[in-house]
Amino acid sequence: MRLRALLDTDALGLRLLGGEDELDRTVRGVMTTDLRDPSRYLSGGEVVLTGLAWRRDAADSEPFVRLLAQAGVTALAAGEAELGDVPEDLVVACAQHRMPLFAVHESVAFATITEHVVRQVSGERAGDLAAVVDRHRRMMTSGPAGGGPDVVLDLLGSDLDLRAWVLSPTGRLIAGSKVAGPALPPETCARLAAEHLTAVRTGRRGPHRVRVEGATYSLFPVGSSGHAPQDERDVRDVRETVLSDWLMAVEADAADWPEERLDLLRDVTQLIAVERDRRDAARTVRRRLAQDVLELVQGGAAPAEIAARLRVAAPVLLPGLGAAPHWQVVVARVEWDDGAVAGGPVAQSLLEEVLVDPLATGPEAADRVAVAHTGDEAVALVPLPAVSTEHDGSEAGLHADALPRAVREALSAGLEGDGRLTLGVSAAVHLAEGLRGALEEARHARRVAAARPGRVCAAGHQELASHVLLLPFVPDDVRRAFTARLLDPLTAYDRRHRAELIPTLEAFLDCDGSWTRCASRLHLHVNTLRYRVGRIEQLTGRDLSRLEDKLDFFLALRMS
């Protein structure tokens, strides 16, 4: 179908604002979105429909259109229902990127355009498949009341006799069709997620065929095109996004399916991605609350100001709670074996999933998880309605040894040969004054976990020395004396010789004393790194092979 045909259809009420020379482009699909960056859900050839909710000011238009152009979108259609006339900055941005732009009259529903495009595009397929796609589209474009991914999976069962489930990357069951029968056992879900992560990480094209407990499953990525990486940058993108993407498991062997049937299932995964958009939008408030609290804690805000923000957060995270809860802090970090560190948002998405009860089902199970990110780590603020002492004398709440247990199989497969996830868990605190110490405690616990073998490791506050817990409360004069004694010789040497000993020390500790990873991060030969570390030891009289001296340097850098 050509783009020109949409403009010639009077019932759609489209008005061309730019791109007249591009009207012979081919339309292969349609997507409705108000995400600021919908590119991960685009495969090329779509007409993108938007109500412009993503636009806060004129500066937002060009980045949005640029992302669409890079994803191979055929055209953009902007609704006039919210803002009236389409903003001029969007018209200019589309002209800059040669993106055809239509205005959609407020009397025309996006669902009308969606149904028309699907009907025309699906006309090239077998009639029964076109009807199924059309029904799926109408279900999902009807909004949240349409029932989400469960409705789509039910239609797969009733129309094509396919049993299907949607799983998280950790193997948690997100959705399943009612006609699929009993829910998949947790161990099967974990195995399917592990197989999917391994396949995507190694660049195999989906769908991925696996056998588990005598049954054959075909695994389709949700929100990913499933293409093989073309260069090193694509490999980095794949290994990061795979840690947060859902997957659809279909109990069938798709190896011999015709291309039309495979296209149908890929269309279904795009529809399920709509539910991911809604889930991510629902998490925005919780993420913002966690981010605000984290910035206050790290910025040294007054306890009264932090307490006020916590009072705002508590009703959102724990609806109906009468009293202020206790809180725990969890810190997570994803590191790759080549010395690179995944961005904070990658760890954020993964930590949100890790903190959800693996036996909970549905995308709403994470409604009480608030995770922020800073730099290359994610920080979770976990509310506890009450803290009690269990039979063994330990406090109730999150326990570091249990936290990664349910997700270890899947994530270890996804990280095998590439990277690792490390987690640190604080003790529960009640007063706002305790959050700063809890944050430092969780960060130090994560470093303890990083020193252990394995792809997924966690450590708790019980494993830390008492002086680490007191770090946030050390008097300023003590801090200054301690840091001067250790760091002043290095700072003076750097100033005279530009030797970069302080950055080298930070990187060496950050890599947990790994010569190879540290040299890779600093782009140095290992012998050069050994020379610098030897100079640090000579100037300070310390030995960086000793845990005590490593800890002293780490504390000095943190307090400087």
Side-chain angles (χ1 to χ4, degrees):
M1 154 180 206
R2 300 293 180 181
L3 196 57
R4 189 182 305 278
L6 290 179
L7 187 62
D8 293 339
T9 304
D10 295 336
L12 300 183
L14 297 178
R15 181 163 52 91
L16 184 65
L17 300 181
E20 184 174 1
D21 295 335
E22 307 292 334
L23 292 180
D24 286 328
R25 290 185 178 186
T26 300
V27 177
R28 290 195 288 270
V30 61
M31 177 185 181
T32 300
T33 185
D34 275 314
L35 289 174
R36 294 171 64 83
D37 179 9
S39 57
R40 67 188 301 176
Y41 306 121
L42 297 167
S43 56
E46 298 94 340
V47 172
V48 170
L49 307 174
T50 179
L52 301 178
W54 50 266
R55 182 186 177 276
R56 294 176 298 187
D57 55 46
D60 291 334
S61 292
E62 193 279 333
F64 180 78
V65 176
R66 174 166 24 92
L67 289 169
L68 298 188
Q70 291 172 349
V73 166
T74 294
L76 174 64
E80 296 179 324
E82 290 292 330
L83 301 180
D85 292 338
V86 175
E88 182 63 22
D89 49 88
L90 183 59
V91 177
V92 172
C94 286
Q96 177 184 346
H97 292 281
R98 301 188 55 158
M99 176 67 62
L101 175 63
F102 297 100
V104 182
H105 193 271
E106 61 182 0
S107 64
V108 180
F110 282 174
T112 301
I113 301 173
T114 299
E115 291 178 23
H116 178 82
V117 173
V118 169
R119 194 178 302 115
Q120 296 300 316
V121 173
S122 299
E124 300 176 359
R125 302 177 182 176
D128 59 335
L129 293 181
V132 173
V133 173
D134 188 52
R135 289 180 65 190
H136 290 178
R137 295 280 186 191
R138 285 188 281 110
M139 282 291 185
M140 293 304 293
T141 56
S142 63
D150 298 277
V151 171
V152 181
L153 299 182
D154 283 342
L155 288 174
L156 279 180
S158 61
D159 289 14
L160 297 181
D161 195 27
L162 291 175
R163 289 159 43 91
W165 301 264
V166 177
L167 306 177
S168 77
T170 62
R172 183 171 63 87
L173 184 65
I174 301 292
S177 64
K178 298 182 181 64
V179 298
L184 289 176
E187 55 273 16
T188 301
C189 292
R191 174 75 181 281
L192 291 175
E195 294 283 355
H196 173 73
L197 290 174
T198 300
V200 175
R201 178 180 55 79
T202 55
R204 287 158 47 195
R205 182 178 176 83
H208 311 118
R209 178 183 176 276
V210 299
R211 284 189 62 82
V212 178
E213 299 295 329
T216 300
Y217 298 87
S218 296
L219 308 179
F220 293 79
V222 173
S224 172
S225 62
H227 69 283
Q230 300 298 317
D231 55 34
E232 184 177 349
R233 184 179 63 181
D234 283 341
V235 172
R236 177 69 47 79
D237 292 342
V238 166
R239 68 184 186 181
E240 290 185 356
T241 59
V242 73
L243 296 177
S244 58
D245 282 347
W246 290 355
L247 67 136
M248 182 174 71
V250 180
E251 190 177 357
D253 188 347
D256 298 325
W257 282 4
E259 193 63 30
E260 291 84 356
R261 195 176 182 90
L262 289 173
D263 285 345
L264 171 63
L265 270 294
R266 294 187 183 109
D267 285 346
V268 170
T269 64
Q270 292 180 4
L271 300 181
I272 293 172
V274 174
E275 187 61 39
R276 291 211 46 201
D277 296 346
R278 293 173 183 156
R279 180 203 65 167
D280 290 341
R283 286 185 174 181
T284 301
V285 173
R286 298 191 299 277
R287 286 176 170 178
R288 183 67 258 173
L289 287 171
Q291 200 75 37
D292 289 346
V293 174
L294 177 62
E295 290 172 1
L296 289 175
V297 172
Q298 292 192 137
E305 186 177 0
I306 299 175
R309 192 58 54 89
L310 288 176
R311 283 194 294 271
V312 173
V316 176
L317 300 176
L318 289 175
L321 187 66
H326 288 72
W327 304 90
Q328 276 183 287
V329 175
V330 182
V331 172
R333 188 174 181 181
V334 177
E335 297 175 285
W336 306 120
D337 287 356
D338 60 9
V341 181
V346 177
Q348 180 183 41
S349 297
L350 193 54
L351 182 55
E352 285 173 334
E353 187 60 42
V354 169
L355 290 175
V356 178
D357 183 346
L359 298 181
T361 60
E364 71 283 352
D367 281 351
R368 295 179 180 179
V369 176
V371 183
H373 68 83
T374 175
D376 52 19
E377 70 180 10
V379 179
L381 190 65
V382 182
L384 304 173
V387 175
S388 59
T389 301
E390 298 182 345
H391 298 301
D392 60 359
S394 62
E395 288 185 341
L398 296 177
H399 292 271
D401 56 346
L403 196 57
R405 189 177 299 154
V407 302
R408 182 172 279 117
E409 177 182 355
L411 292 184
S412 294
L415 293 165
E416 182 64 35
D418 270 341
R420 60 200 310 257
L421 168 69
T422 52
L423 303 158
V425 182
S426 78
V429 296
H430 177 64
L431 299 177
E433 292 91 333
L435 275 183
R436 184 180 174 192
L439 176 60
E440 292 296 325
E441 187 176 74
R443 282 174 168 161
H444 285 295
R446 191 207 64 78
R447 289 186 169 276
V448 172
R452 295 172 175 167
R455 294 292 169 181
V456 181
C457 298
H461 62 95
Q462 303 93 337
E463 302 172 68
L464 299 180
S466 59
H467 60 278
V468 175
L469 310 184
L470 300 176
L471 178 60
F473 310 105
V474 175
D476 288 342
D477 56 343
V478 176
R479 286 173 179 259
R480 285 192 294 269
F482 181 75
T483 57
R485 186 167 60 253
L486 279 175
L487 301 184
D488 279 4
L490 306 182
T491 303
Y493 191 87
D494 281 347
R495 192 162 45 244
R496 292 194 306 270
H497 302 284
R498 298 182 181 180
E500 298 187 358
L501 296 184
I502 291 291
T504 300
L505 176 61
E506 291 175 332
F508 186 73
L509 296 176
D510 202 39
C511 292
D512 304 310
S514 168
W515 296 99
T516 303
R517 287 167 53 201
C518 183
S520 174
R521 179 177 299 188
L522 295 175
H523 305 290
L524 297 174
H525 191 278
V526 172
N527 289 342
T528 304
L529 176 62
R530 292 186 183 277
Y531 172 80
R532 289 188 183 181
V533 170
R535 179 66 65 179
I536 291 171
E537 293 175 334
Q538 180 184 18
L539 292 171
T540 61
R542 299 298 187 105
D543 182 356
L544 277 168
S545 67
R546 299 179 65 249
L547 177 61
E548 293 84 351
D549 288 342
K550 285 182 182 177
L551 181 59
D552 282 347
F553 275 124
F554 175 77
L555 296 179
L557 289 169
R558 279 301 180 92
M559 291 190 295
S560 63

